[in-house]
């Protein structure tokens, strides 16, 4: 059985070209499923439905690979899943048909390219972190307060002359952020008069 899948990015785009091509490839109109979703969008209800309905021996037909996969890696994983379920994949405009040796070989090349892309991203990330460490920077978010500012905030807190909210405003941070820089053993030890003003330790 042939099952067709088509996708357009917005409701303003017409799927007629895809629908006509699928029907010329002998896919019955009732067996064509259409999604309106951007290429990167994870949720594709009709594609999810197709993947539930399709059975061993069936063939999924699309006009182009970019109608089917969100990314090369997603496409390769999807192709592998179809292959494990003994479902064929035919891509009309790109001449891919996994029922033939040539089509399987072409899809295999996509798998190699996807793995290369993944390794390249990992390598670039690793190199970027190494370069940052060499310049004295660590990964993650830049701290809200410098070490000197944290010491000054602690001193102001210990002196008990300002509320936590006032100290936070001095440094342009939220109260919760400021608490993260304070010595945990000192929190709650301030004078009751300040606590009543601040509403907290």
């Amino acid at each position: 059985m042939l099952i067709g899948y088509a996708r357009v990015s917005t409701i303003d785009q017409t799927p007629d070209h895809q629908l006509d091509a699928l029907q010329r490839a002998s896919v019955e109109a009732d067996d064509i499923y259409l999604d309106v979703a951007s290429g990167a969008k994870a949720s594709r209800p009709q594609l999810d439905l197709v993947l539930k309905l399709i059975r061993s021996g069936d063939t999924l037909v699309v006009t182009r690979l970019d109608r089917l996969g969100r990314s090369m890696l997603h496409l390769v994983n999807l192709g592998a899943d179809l292959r494990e379920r003994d479902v064929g994949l035919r891509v009309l405009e790109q001449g891919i048909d996994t029922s033939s040796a040539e089509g399987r070989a072409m899809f295999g090349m996509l798998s190699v390219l996807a793995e290369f892309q993944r390794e390249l991203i990992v390598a670039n990330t690793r190199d970027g972190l190494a370069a940052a460490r060499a310049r004295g920077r660590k990964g993650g978010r830049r701290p809200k307060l410098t070490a000197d500012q944290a010491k000054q905030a602690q001193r102001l807190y210990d002196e008990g002359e300002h509320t936590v909210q006032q100290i936070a405003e001095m440094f342009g941070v939220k109260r919760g952020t400021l608490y993260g820089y304070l010595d945990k053993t000192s929190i709650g030890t301030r004078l009751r008069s300040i606590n009543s003003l601040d509403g907290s330790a």
Side-chain angles (χ1 to χ4, degrees), residues 138-182:
K138 297 180 180 179
R141 292 184 177 180
R142 181 175 296 177
K144 298 287 186 182
L145 300 181
T146 65
D148 288 340
Q149 288 174 327
K151 288 179 182 178
Q152 186 178 1
Q154 183 68 54
R155 180 177 57 78
L156 290 170
Y157 180 83
D158 292 339
E159 288 174 352
E161 296 180 2
H162 299 84
T163 66
V164 172
Q165 183 62 43
Q166 289 170 341
I167 298 172
E169 290 174 356
M170 290 180 193
F171 293 97
V173 297
K174 294 181 179 179
R175 244 174 46 170
T177 300
L178 180 63
Y179 273 120
Y181 287 90
L182 296 177

Short mmCIF file of all heavy atoms in Angstrom, two decimals, residues 138-182:
data_model
loop_
_atom_site.label_atom_id
_atom_site.label_comp_id
_atom_site.label_asym_id
_atom_site.label_seq_id
_atom_site.Cartn_x
_atom_site.Cartn_y
_atom_site.Cartn_z
N LYS A 138 35.02 30.20 31.95
CA LYS A 138 34.40 28.90 32.13
C LYS A 138 33.07 28.90 31.40
O LYS A 138 32.49 29.94 31.12
CB LYS A 138 34.20 28.59 33.61
CG LYS A 138 35.51 28.50 34.39
CD LYS A 138 35.23 28.18 35.84
CE LYS A 138 36.54 28.09 36.63
NZ LYS A 138 36.29 27.79 38.06
N GLY A 139 32.59 27.68 31.15
CA GLY A 139 31.29 27.55 30.49
C GLY A 139 30.17 27.96 31.41
O GLY A 139 30.34 28.13 32.61
N GLY A 140 28.99 28.12 30.85
CA GLY A 140 27.82 28.49 31.65
C GLY A 140 27.57 29.99 31.63
O GLY A 140 28.26 30.75 30.95
N ARG A 141 26.57 30.40 32.39
CA ARG A 141 26.19 31.82 32.41
C ARG A 141 27.24 32.65 33.12
O ARG A 141 27.88 32.21 34.06
CB ARG A 141 24.85 31.98 33.13
CG ARG A 141 23.67 31.39 32.38
CD ARG A 141 22.40 31.69 33.13
NE ARG A 141 21.24 31.19 32.41
CZ ARG A 141 20.00 31.32 32.84
NH1 ARG A 141 19.77 31.93 33.99
NH2 ARG A 141 18.99 30.85 32.14
N ARG A 142 27.39 33.88 32.66
CA ARG A 142 28.27 34.82 33.34
C ARG A 142 27.65 35.20 34.68
O ARG A 142 26.45 35.46 34.77
CB ARG A 142 28.43 36.07 32.47
CG ARG A 142 29.37 37.12 33.07
CD ARG A 142 29.56 38.26 32.10
NE ARG A 142 30.22 37.81 30.88
CZ ARG A 142 30.47 38.60 29.84
NH1 ARG A 142 30.09 39.86 29.87
NH2 ARG A 142 31.06 38.13 28.78
N PRO A 143 28.45 35.19 35.78
CA PRO A 143 27.89 35.50 37.10
C PRO A 143 27.30 36.91 37.14
O PRO A 143 27.82 37.84 36.51
CB PRO A 143 29.08 35.36 38.04
CG PRO A 143 30.30 35.47 37.18
CD PRO A 143 29.90 34.92 35.84
N LYS A 144 26.22 37.07 37.93
CA LYS A 144 25.56 38.37 38.04
C LYS A 144 26.42 39.37 38.82
O LYS A 144 26.42 40.55 38.54
CB LYS A 144 24.20 38.20 38.73
CG LYS A 144 23.22 37.32 37.97
CD LYS A 144 22.67 38.01 36.76
CE LYS A 144 21.58 37.17 36.11
NZ LYS A 144 21.04 37.79 34.89
N LEU A 145 27.13 38.86 39.84
CA LEU A 145 27.98 39.71 40.67
C LEU A 145 29.43 39.25 40.58
O LEU A 145 29.70 38.05 40.53
CB LEU A 145 27.53 39.67 42.13
CG LEU A 145 26.11 40.12 42.46
CD1 LEU A 145 25.87 40.02 43.96
CD2 LEU A 145 25.87 41.55 41.98
N THR A 146 30.35 40.21 40.57
CA THR A 146 31.76 39.86 40.63
C THR A 146 32.10 39.44 42.06
O THR A 146 31.30 39.63 42.99
CB THR A 146 32.64 41.05 40.23
OG1 THR A 146 32.47 42.09 41.21
CG2 THR A 146 32.25 41.58 38.85
N ALA A 147 33.28 38.89 42.24
CA ALA A 147 33.70 38.47 43.59
C ALA A 147 33.73 39.67 44.55
O ALA A 147 33.31 39.56 45.71
CB ALA A 147 35.08 37.82 43.52
N ASP A 148 34.21 40.82 44.06
CA ASP A 148 34.26 42.02 44.91
C ASP A 148 32.85 42.50 45.27
O ASP A 148 32.59 42.91 46.41
CB ASP A 148 35.02 43.15 44.20
CG ASP A 148 36.52 42.87 44.15
OD1 ASP A 148 36.99 42.04 44.97
OD2 ASP A 148 37.20 43.49 43.32
N GLN A 149 31.94 42.44 44.30
CA GLN A 149 30.57 42.86 44.57
C GLN A 149 29.90 41.92 45.57
O GLN A 149 29.15 42.37 46.44
CB GLN A 149 29.76 42.89 43.26
CG GLN A 149 30.14 44.03 42.34
CD GLN A 149 29.43 43.94 41.00
OE1 GLN A 149 29.15 42.85 40.50
NE2 GLN A 149 29.11 45.10 40.42
N ALA A 150 30.18 40.64 45.46
CA ALA A 150 29.61 39.68 46.40
C ALA A 150 30.09 39.95 47.82
O ALA A 150 29.32 39.88 48.78
CB ALA A 150 29.97 38.25 45.97
N LYS A 151 31.39 40.28 47.95
CA LYS A 151 31.95 40.59 49.27
C LYS A 151 31.30 41.85 49.85
O LYS A 151 30.97 41.93 51.04
CB LYS A 151 33.46 40.78 49.18
CG LYS A 151 34.22 39.49 48.95
CD LYS A 151 35.71 39.77 48.84
CE LYS A 151 36.49 38.49 48.56
NZ LYS A 151 37.95 38.76 48.40
N GLN A 152 31.10 42.85 48.99
CA GLN A 152 30.49 44.09 49.43
C GLN A 152 29.04 43.87 49.84
O GLN A 152 28.58 44.41 50.85
CB GLN A 152 30.57 45.14 48.31
CG GLN A 152 30.09 46.52 48.73
CD GLN A 152 30.22 47.55 47.61
OE1 GLN A 152 30.65 47.21 46.51
NE2 GLN A 152 29.84 48.77 47.88
N ALA A 153 28.33 43.04 49.07
CA ALA A 153 26.94 42.73 49.41
C ALA A 153 26.87 42.01 50.75
O ALA A 153 25.99 42.30 51.57
CB ALA A 153 26.31 41.87 48.31
N GLN A 154 27.80 41.10 50.98
CA GLN A 154 27.83 40.37 52.25
C GLN A 154 28.08 41.34 53.42
O GLN A 154 27.45 41.23 54.48
CB GLN A 154 28.91 39.29 52.22
CG GLN A 154 28.96 38.43 53.47
CD GLN A 154 27.74 37.54 53.62
OE1 GLN A 154 27.41 36.80 52.71
NE2 GLN A 154 27.07 37.62 54.77
N ARG A 155 29.00 42.27 53.21
CA ARG A 155 29.32 43.25 54.25
C ARG A 155 28.10 44.11 54.58
O ARG A 155 27.78 44.33 55.76
CB ARG A 155 30.49 44.13 53.81
CG ARG A 155 30.88 45.19 54.85
CD ARG A 155 32.09 45.98 54.38
NE ARG A 155 31.87 46.62 53.10
CZ ARG A 155 31.16 47.73 52.93
NH1 ARG A 155 30.57 48.31 53.98
NH2 ARG A 155 31.02 48.26 51.73
N LEU A 156 27.40 44.56 53.56
CA LEU A 156 26.20 45.37 53.77
C LEU A 156 25.13 44.57 54.50
O LEU A 156 24.43 45.10 55.37
CB LEU A 156 25.66 45.87 52.42
CG LEU A 156 26.52 46.93 51.70
CD1 LEU A 156 26.00 47.15 50.29
CD2 LEU A 156 26.53 48.23 52.48
N TYR A 157 25.02 43.31 54.13
CA TYR A 157 24.03 42.46 54.80
C TYR A 157 24.38 42.27 56.27
O TYR A 157 23.52 42.36 57.14
CB TYR A 157 23.99 41.11 54.07
CG TYR A 157 22.99 40.13 54.66
CD1 TYR A 157 21.65 40.19 54.32
CD2 TYR A 157 23.41 39.16 55.57
CE1 TYR A 157 20.73 39.30 54.86
CE2 TYR A 157 22.50 38.26 56.12
CZ TYR A 157 21.17 38.33 55.75
OH TYR A 157 20.27 37.45 56.30
N ASP A 158 25.66 42.01 56.54
CA ASP A 158 26.10 41.76 57.93
C ASP A 158 25.95 43.00 58.80
O ASP A 158 25.68 42.90 60.01
CB ASP A 158 27.55 41.28 57.95
CG ASP A 158 27.71 39.90 57.33
OD1 ASP A 158 26.71 39.17 57.26
OD2 ASP A 158 28.84 39.56 56.91
N GLU A 159 26.13 44.18 58.19
CA GLU A 159 26.02 45.42 58.96
C GLU A 159 24.60 45.65 59.44
O GLU A 159 24.37 46.34 60.44
CB GLU A 159 26.49 46.60 58.13
CG GLU A 159 28.01 46.62 57.92
CD GLU A 159 28.44 47.71 56.97
OE1 GLU A 159 27.55 48.36 56.34
OE2 GLU A 159 29.66 47.93 56.82
N GLY A 160 23.63 45.11 58.73
CA GLY A 160 22.24 45.19 59.17
C GLY A 160 21.58 46.53 58.98
O GLY A 160 20.53 46.79 59.59
N GLU A 161 22.17 47.42 58.17
CA GLU A 161 21.59 48.75 57.99
C GLU A 161 20.71 48.86 56.75
O GLU A 161 20.09 49.89 56.52
CB GLU A 161 22.72 49.79 57.92
CG GLU A 161 23.52 49.89 59.22
CD GLU A 161 24.62 50.93 59.12
OE1 GLU A 161 24.71 51.58 58.05
OE2 GLU A 161 25.37 51.08 60.09
N HIS A 162 20.73 47.82 55.93
CA HIS A 162 19.91 47.83 54.71
C HIS A 162 19.14 46.52 54.61
O HIS A 162 19.62 45.47 55.04
CB HIS A 162 20.78 47.99 53.45
CG HIS A 162 21.58 49.25 53.41
ND1 HIS A 162 22.80 49.38 54.04
CD2 HIS A 162 21.32 50.44 52.82
CE1 HIS A 162 23.27 50.60 53.83
NE2 HIS A 162 22.38 51.27 53.10
N THR A 163 17.97 46.60 54.01
CA THR A 163 17.20 45.39 53.77
C THR A 163 17.82 44.64 52.60
O THR A 163 18.59 45.20 51.79
CB THR A 163 15.73 45.72 53.44
OG1 THR A 163 15.69 46.41 52.17
CG2 THR A 163 15.09 46.58 54.52
N VAL A 164 17.45 43.37 52.48
CA VAL A 164 17.94 42.57 51.35
C VAL A 164 17.48 43.19 50.03
O VAL A 164 18.24 43.25 49.06
CB VAL A 164 17.45 41.11 51.48
CG1 VAL A 164 17.78 40.32 50.22
CG2 VAL A 164 18.07 40.45 52.69
N GLN A 165 16.24 43.68 50.00
CA GLN A 165 15.73 44.31 48.78
C GLN A 165 16.56 45.53 48.40
O GLN A 165 16.88 45.74 47.23
CB GLN A 165 14.26 44.71 48.98
CG GLN A 165 13.60 45.31 47.74
CD GLN A 165 13.56 44.34 46.58
OE1 GLN A 165 13.25 43.17 46.77
NE2 GLN A 165 13.86 44.83 45.39
N GLN A 166 16.91 46.33 49.40
CA GLN A 166 17.72 47.53 49.13
C GLN A 166 19.10 47.16 48.59
O GLN A 166 19.60 47.78 47.65
CB GLN A 166 17.86 48.36 50.41
CG GLN A 166 16.57 49.06 50.82
CD GLN A 166 16.65 49.68 52.20
OE1 GLN A 166 17.52 49.32 53.01
NE2 GLN A 166 15.76 50.62 52.49
N ILE A 167 19.70 46.14 49.19
CA ILE A 167 21.04 45.70 48.72
C ILE A 167 20.94 45.17 47.30
O ILE A 167 21.79 45.46 46.45
CB ILE A 167 21.61 44.63 49.67
CG1 ILE A 167 21.79 45.20 51.08
CG2 ILE A 167 22.95 44.12 49.15
CD1 ILE A 167 22.15 44.16 52.12
N ALA A 168 19.89 44.38 47.03
CA ALA A 168 19.70 43.83 45.68
C ALA A 168 19.57 44.95 44.66
O ALA A 168 20.16 44.90 43.57
CB ALA A 168 18.48 42.92 45.66
N GLU A 169 18.81 45.98 45.01
CA GLU A 169 18.62 47.11 44.09
C GLU A 169 19.92 47.86 43.85
O GLU A 169 20.15 48.39 42.76
CB GLU A 169 17.55 48.05 44.64
CG GLU A 169 16.15 47.45 44.59
CD GLU A 169 15.11 48.33 45.27
OE1 GLU A 169 15.50 49.37 45.84
OE2 GLU A 169 13.92 47.97 45.22
N MET A 170 20.78 47.93 44.87
CA MET A 170 22.09 48.59 44.70
C MET A 170 22.91 47.93 43.60
O MET A 170 23.63 48.60 42.85
CB MET A 170 22.88 48.53 46.01
CG MET A 170 22.35 49.40 47.13
SD MET A 170 23.39 49.21 48.60
CE MET A 170 22.36 49.99 49.84
N PHE A 171 22.79 46.60 43.51
CA PHE A 171 23.60 45.85 42.54
C PHE A 171 22.83 45.48 41.28
O PHE A 171 23.37 44.82 40.39
CB PHE A 171 24.17 44.60 43.21
CG PHE A 171 25.18 44.88 44.28
CD1 PHE A 171 24.79 44.91 45.62
CD2 PHE A 171 26.50 45.17 43.97
CE1 PHE A 171 25.71 45.19 46.62
CE2 PHE A 171 27.42 45.46 44.96
CZ PHE A 171 27.04 45.47 46.29
N GLY A 172 21.58 45.90 41.23
CA GLY A 172 20.78 45.66 40.03
C GLY A 172 20.44 44.21 39.80
O GLY A 172 20.37 43.74 38.66
N VAL A 173 20.22 43.46 40.91
CA VAL A 173 19.83 42.05 40.79
C VAL A 173 18.56 41.81 41.59
O VAL A 173 18.12 42.66 42.37
CB VAL A 173 20.94 41.11 41.31
CG1 VAL A 173 22.21 41.26 40.47
CG2 VAL A 173 21.24 41.37 42.79
N LYS A 174 17.97 40.65 41.41
CA LYS A 174 16.78 40.29 42.18
C LYS A 174 17.19 39.78 43.56
O LYS A 174 18.32 39.35 43.77
CB LYS A 174 16.00 39.20 41.43
CG LYS A 174 15.42 39.68 40.11
CD LYS A 174 14.65 38.57 39.43
CE LYS A 174 14.05 39.05 38.11
NZ LYS A 174 13.31 37.99 37.41
N ARG A 175 16.23 39.82 44.46
CA ARG A 175 16.51 39.37 45.82
C ARG A 175 16.96 37.92 45.86
O ARG A 175 17.90 37.56 46.56
CB ARG A 175 15.26 39.53 46.69
CG ARG A 175 15.48 40.53 47.80
CD ARG A 175 14.24 40.82 48.56
NE ARG A 175 13.46 39.65 48.94
CZ ARG A 175 12.43 39.72 49.79
NH1 ARG A 175 12.10 40.88 50.32
NH2 ARG A 175 11.74 38.66 50.10
N GLY A 176 16.29 37.08 45.08
CA GLY A 176 16.65 35.66 45.05
C GLY A 176 18.07 35.46 44.56
O GLY A 176 18.79 34.57 45.04
N THR A 177 18.49 36.28 43.59
CA THR A 177 19.86 36.19 43.07
C THR A 177 20.86 36.58 44.15
O THR A 177 21.88 35.92 44.33
CB THR A 177 20.02 37.11 41.85
OG1 THR A 177 19.11 36.71 40.83
CG2 THR A 177 21.44 37.05 41.31
N LEU A 178 20.53 37.64 44.87
CA LEU A 178 21.44 38.10 45.93
C LEU A 178 21.63 37.04 47.00
O LEU A 178 22.74 36.81 47.47
CB LEU A 178 20.89 39.39 46.56
CG LEU A 178 21.74 39.98 47.69
CD1 LEU A 178 23.11 40.40 47.16
CD2 LEU A 178 21.03 41.17 48.33
N TYR A 179 20.54 36.38 47.37
CA TYR A 179 20.64 35.33 48.39
C TYR A 179 21.65 34.25 47.97
O TYR A 179 22.30 33.64 48.81
CB TYR A 179 19.28 34.69 48.65
CG TYR A 179 18.45 35.42 49.69
CD1 TYR A 179 17.21 35.95 49.36
CD2 TYR A 179 18.92 35.56 50.98
CE1 TYR A 179 16.45 36.61 50.31
CE2 TYR A 179 18.16 36.23 51.95
CZ TYR A 179 16.92 36.75 51.60
OH TYR A 179 16.17 37.40 52.54
N GLY A 180 21.74 34.01 46.67
CA GLY A 180 22.67 33.00 46.19
C GLY A 180 24.12 33.34 46.44
O GLY A 180 24.98 32.46 46.43
N TYR A 181 24.41 34.62 46.66
CA TYR A 181 25.79 35.06 46.90
C TYR A 181 26.10 35.25 48.39
O TYR A 181 27.26 35.43 48.75
CB TYR A 181 26.06 36.38 46.16
CG TYR A 181 26.19 36.20 44.67
CD1 TYR A 181 25.07 36.28 43.85
CD2 TYR A 181 27.42 35.94 44.09
CE1 TYR A 181 25.18 36.11 42.48
CE2 TYR A 181 27.54 35.78 42.71
CZ TYR A 181 26.42 35.86 41.92
OH TYR A 181 26.54 35.69 40.56
N LEU A 182 25.09 35.22 49.22
CA LEU A 182 25.32 35.44 50.64
C LEU A 182 25.77 34.17 51.34
O LEU A 182 25.41 33.06 50.94
CB LEU A 182 24.04 35.96 51.30
CG LEU A 182 23.52 37.32 50.83
CD1 LEU A 182 22.21 37.66 51.53
CD2 LEU A 182 24.56 38.41 51.08
#
